[in-house]
Amino acid sequence: MLTGVMDYFSSCWGPRSRSGHRGKGSDAAGRQDGLLWYKDAGQLCTGEFSMAVVQANQLLEDQSQVESGSLSLAEPGPQGTFVGVYDGHGGPETSRFINDHLFNHLRSKDSQSMEVPAADFFFLLLSALKLFNFPEFATEHKCMSADVIRKAFLATEEGFISLVSREWSLKPQIASVGSCCLVGVICSGTLYVANLGDSRAVLGRLVKATGEVLAMQLSSEHNACYEEVRQELQSAHPDDPQIVVLKHNVWRVKGLIQVDKHLYSNIRLLICHFIGYQISRSIGDVYLKRPEYNREPLHSKFRLRETFQRPILSSDPQIAEHRIQPNDQFVIFASDGLWEHLSNQEAVDLVQNSPRNGIARRLVKVAMQEAAKKREMRYSDLKKIDRGVRRHFHDDITVVVVFLDSNAMSKASWSKSPSVSLRGGGVALPAKSLAPFSAPAQLNSTY
């Protein structure tokens, strides 16, 4: 009887390799065109997708990934799609660390959640005998959940803090590096959106009566420019009147301005890029969460003058669950580099009225065209500007568009599907998060 139950599970979720890892699948690694990387079209177990990244910083601080197939290390495990957009600040170390660890933590936490209580095992036996509706049971006792995602975020944060502890004496600046973190997980007909910071997930929903596709923002942004975020910070720090400060007409957490210096040997120019701390939640930024890192040898330009008792920034993600409806068409996941130049509805209209193939690249191009207009320059001239200097015109931009196929999603939940594992930028990351300086990209571009 037990063997029959396990055989039933195996047919639902599909076999795994003996090593316990997913196959890489046959998905191509994308293409590089100057500072632009793109994957125009691909197939996930929940529908088609398009992905693009353009670099503006000297080192690419945006990191991203798309994973499709098994969402668990357990055998058997549920099938689904994972999208991650990680917008780093102060350097690429944290976003790279998240790219290397968050999805694996999610799969690990999900496998732990799949342990079935003894009291429920009777229902699984009935399921195998077709006396009980197993899909309904699995939905009720779903393996993917907000709790699983939250635990994966926490494990990633704790892992990065451990890295900071190890690197602190030699590379204290790593304590000042952080990243926003936007994650989407599609499993069993539900879309989970988890967010720290100001990246954004926007749904395109068809209104059948009019034929319009309306934008619906699924994520909440943790930026001090919003009154509710300032109130949240003030409530968490009632004894600190300086927890949010209006500086140069911009609300900043603790009034902080971070200085990011890059030396370009080809033009021998030292450029200081000033970044304000506007976000209230992140992974990393350890010196704003652990007072023992708000001291020497960290440079004085990063440090707070006074110590603190409670973490200034939070690493607790805000998670929304959205049951996917037949009129839900697609979801746009993007870093704030896109949303600085396009509204939610403008982005949704562009996706709806354009071919699917290459739509992420099209969104990036339109955002860059808007950035050029704001500087009263031609788009063709903007493309000639090298990384680093380019950051003064626009930020790194990451876009992932996932089209929602209800038929594919219903099949993916209970049967094996081809796996996809793709990193934005198309460059394999090193085993350690502190990667070496990458070579300059060629600027002969056609995008």
Side-chain angles (χ1 to χ4, degrees):
M1 176 85 60
L2 180 59
T3 302
V5 173
M6 297 313 297
D7 288 344
Y8 176 81
F9 286 160
S10 296
S11 66
C12 289
W13 277 297
R16 299 172 60 83
S17 66
R18 293 185 179 182
S19 64
H21 297 289
R22 299 172 308 135
K24 289 292 183 181
S26 59
D27 192 69
R31 296 182 179 181
Q32 193 80 32
D33 183 5
L35 296 179
L36 174 74
W37 174 93
Y38 61 94
K39 169 71 176 171
D40 277 343
Q43 183 67 46
L44 306 172
C45 66
T46 52
E48 296 177 87
F49 80 101
S50 180
M51 188 174 182
V53 180
V54 68
Q55 181 173 350
N57 286 289
Q58 178 71 0
L59 290 175
L60 179 65
E61 295 184 350
D62 271 19
Q63 301 293 323
S64 53
Q65 65 186 130
V66 171
E67 309 282 346
S68 185
S70 177
L71 296 177
S72 176
L73 294 176
E75 188 174 350
Q79 304 285 308
T81 291
F82 175 97
V83 176
V85 174
Y86 319 123
D87 181 1
H89 47 261
E93 290 83 7
T94 310
S95 56
R96 290 179 175 184
F97 185 89
I98 299 169
N99 219 12
D100 283 340
H101 294 90
L102 178 57
F103 180 61
N104 289 332
H105 282 311
L106 181 132
R107 296 179 71 211
S108 174
K109 300 301 178 184
D110 186 78
S111 65
Q112 294 173 18
S113 75
M114 290 182 63
E115 295 178 3
V116 180
D120 291 337
F121 191 72
F122 174 71
F123 294 101
L124 300 182
L125 293 175
L126 293 179
S127 171
L129 297 173
K130 301 188 183 301
L131 300 176
F132 185 77
N133 192 322
F134 176 75
E136 291 181 3
F137 176 85
T139 300
E140 181 181 353
H141 298 74
K142 50 193 171 187
C143 303
M144 184 54 59
S145 67
D147 185 57
V148 167
I149 297 170
R150 194 178 307 279
K151 288 178 179 178
F153 271 67
L154 176 61
T156 305
E157 169 83 347
E158 291 176 343
F160 189 73
I161 292 174
S162 296
L163 175 64
V164 171
S165 177
R166 295 193 302 270
E167 300 280 352
W168 169 252
S169 60
L170 296 177
K171 300 175 181 177
Q173 72 276 10
I174 194 174
S176 67
V177 178
S179 181
C180 300
C181 185
L182 173 66
V183 163
V185 181
I186 302 173
C187 185
S188 300
T190 297
L191 169 61
Y192 301 85
V193 176
N195 192 44
L196 296 169
D198 56 7
S199 296
R200 193 181 301 174
V202 175
L203 173 73
R205 170 171 282 185
L206 175 66
V207 180
K208 292 184 178 180
T210 63
E212 297 177 286
V213 175
L214 298 182
M216 178 186 299
Q217 186 167 325
L218 300 177
S219 56
S220 298
E221 294 176 50
H222 309 118
N223 190 306
C225 69
Y226 297 109
E227 175 66 24
E228 58 269 27
V229 174
R230 296 197 296 274
Q231 291 178 354
E232 180 183 79
L233 285 166
Q234 290 162 350
S235 297
H237 304 270
D239 302 326
D240 186 355
Q242 300 294 311
I243 188 63
V244 283
V245 177
L246 187 62
K247 181 174 288 190
H248 305 304
N249 207 33
V250 177
W251 287 100
R252 305 187 191 279
V253 179
K254 296 296 290 182
L256 287 171
I257 296 180
Q258 182 177 359
V259 182
D260 187 16
K261 295 184 177 180
H262 296 301
L263 179 63
Y264 305 103
S265 57
N266 58 332
I267 56 177
R268 300 187 181 278
L269 176 64
L270 183 65
I271 294 178
C272 296
H273 176 225
F274 293 92
I275 308 170
Y277 266 97
Q278 294 177 267
I279 59 169
S280 62
R281 304 192 194 192
S282 70
I283 287 178
D285 299 306
V286 177
Y287 83 110
L288 295 176
K289 298 173 180 177
R290 301 286 181 92
E292 60 267 33
Y293 297 105
N294 181 43
R295 60 177 178 83
E296 292 183 346
L298 183 64
H299 198 285
S300 61
K301 289 179 179 175
F302 297 106
R303 299 198 307 266
L304 298 176
R305 293 180 180 179
E306 70 282 354
T307 188
F308 52 90
Q309 300 299 319
R310 292 182 296 275
I312 294 169
L313 303 186
S314 169
S315 58
D316 183 33
Q318 200 156 358
I319 304 176
E321 295 184 33
H322 174 76
R323 190 67 185 173
I324 297 172
Q325 304 299 318
N327 53 340
D328 292 340
Q329 303 296 296
F330 52 82
V331 185
I332 305 169
F333 300 90
S335 59
D336 70 326
L338 178 76
W339 308 115
E340 287 175 357
H341 303 291
L342 294 178
S343 70
N344 292 352
Q345 192 60 52
E346 286 172 338
V348 165
D349 288 344
L350 187 63
V351 175
Q352 177 62 19
N353 298 320
S354 304
R356 289 188 176 188
N357 190 292
I359 186 55
R361 183 157 53 115
R362 174 67 175 162
L363 283 165
V364 167
K365 179 179 180 179
V366 171
M368 289 178 59
Q369 288 173 333
E370 290 299 315
K373 286 180 184 178
K374 291 174 183 178
R375 291 301 188 97
E376 299 181 343
M377 64 187 302
R378 292 180 299 183
Y379 170 67
S380 58
D381 291 333
L382 176 60
K383 290 193 300 177
K384 298 174 184 177
I385 300 174
D386 203 353
R387 59 190 177 134
V389 180
R390 177 81 75 86
R391 181 61 183 86
H392 294 273
F393 298 86
H394 67 83
D395 199 354
D396 294 339
I397 304 174
T398 296
V399 178
V400 182
V401 181
V402 176
F403 294 93
L404 303 174
D405 184 332
S406 56
N407 292 329
M409 283 187 284
S410 62
K411 295 177 182 177
S413 299
W414 310 106
S415 61
K416 183 183 178 184
S417 55
S419 63
V420 173
S421 184
L422 186 66
R423 300 280 185 98
V427 178
L429 298 179
K432 295 183 179 180
S433 69
L434 296 176
F437 185 85
S438 57
Q442 297 296 320
L443 293 180
N444 297 324
S445 66
T446 58
Y447 63 96

